[in-house]
Amino acid sequence: MTTPTRARRTPWADARFFIGVALVVLSIVGVWLIVDASRSTTPVLRADRTIVPGEALSSADFSVVEVSLGTAEDQYLAPQDLTAGHIATRAMAEGELLSAAAVGDADDARTTTIVVESSVGLPAEIDAGTVVELWQAPPLEEGYDEPRILVADVTVASLVDSEGMMTQDRPAVELVIDRADVADVLSAITGGAALSIVPLGSR
């Protein structure tokens, strides 16, 4: 009677076994790292009020909140990142996290503010931070010409009060505009054009 022989395991079978174990371990470690990253938080700045373009930024305007940002961590500013000389390059709503893309140096500022009186009443939705268009109707010998856009995409800095109450006939608004547009706006004002402030999307 012949004695049965035990089949020998090939080196390839052992290699596949260890590769399979390694893959399982790597997948477990990968899942653990993802879960751990999702649980970690980073202190970032959150706006406590509406901030308009060109406005100087101060730590007093922000609260520090812990947020899980993952790979987007470098896109937002931590408390130590905000230093003197920083300004807002775009409008930021109350409660918005301070994005690095929304911050610039005061020396590079291209905007300024100018007060404009509207020839008509202001829509109810206009407030600080609202993006609007400034329209003008140039004066004629009798009446006014057809309205046209004077400056597009400007931001309201504030509603200007007159003796504690905004006038109803010609409300005034402080606008943040590009310095390159200042001459055109002043020319329209001194030339007697009828100016109107229109929120974007209201045309």
Side-chain angles (χ1 to χ4, degrees):
M1 184 174 59
T2 57
T3 302
T5 58
R6 180 181 298 176
R8 291 188 304 169
R9 299 183 63 182
T10 65
W12 291 109
D14 292 336
R16 288 196 297 268
F17 172 76
F18 288 114
I19 291 174
V21 171
L23 291 175
V24 171
V25 171
L26 288 175
S27 65
I28 293 174
V29 172
V31 170
W32 180 83
L33 290 174
I34 293 173
V35 172
D36 183 67
S38 66
R39 290 177 177 174
S40 63
T41 59
T42 302
V44 295
L45 296 172
R46 182 181 64 190
D48 289 336
R49 60 178 181 83
T50 299
I51 297 173
V52 299
E55 188 172 353
L57 299 179
S58 166
S59 58
D61 301 321
F62 300 90
S63 298
V64 180
V65 294
E66 294 284 341
V67 182
S68 177
L69 296 173
T71 57
E73 180 177 340
D74 294 339
Q75 299 178 23
Y76 296 90
L77 266 62
Q80 66 273 15
D81 297 327
L82 185 61
T83 59
H86 279 153
I87 61 170
T89 57
R90 63 168 178 79
M92 285 179 277
E94 180 180 351
E96 182 178 345
L97 299 182
L98 181 56
S99 168
V103 177
D105 293 327
D107 293 340
D108 299 329
R110 296 180 52 192
T111 60
T112 187
T113 59
I114 190 168
V115 175
V116 172
E117 288 188 346
S118 176
S119 60
V120 296
L122 297 177
E125 64 266 32
I126 287 183
D127 203 349
T130 304
V131 180
V132 299
E133 293 173 337
L134 180 61
W135 286 63
Q136 69 161 332
L140 300 174
E141 291 186 3
E142 294 186 6
Y144 294 91
D145 200 351
E146 290 291 327
R148 65 198 67 172
I149 293 179
L150 178 58
V151 184
D153 296 342
V154 295
T155 304
V156 175
S158 66
L159 305 183
V160 180
D161 291 344
S162 176
E163 298 179 354
M165 181 179 296
M166 195 168 60
T167 58
Q168 298 301 314
D169 52 346
R170 296 182 67 85
V173 177
E174 184 181 12
L175 298 176
V176 180
I177 66 173
D178 193 290
R179 292 184 182 276
D181 296 319
V182 171
D184 290 339
V185 175
L186 292 179
S187 178
I189 293 173
T190 57
L195 302 177
S196 301
I197 297 164
V198 181
L200 289 183
S202 298
R203 300 192 301 274

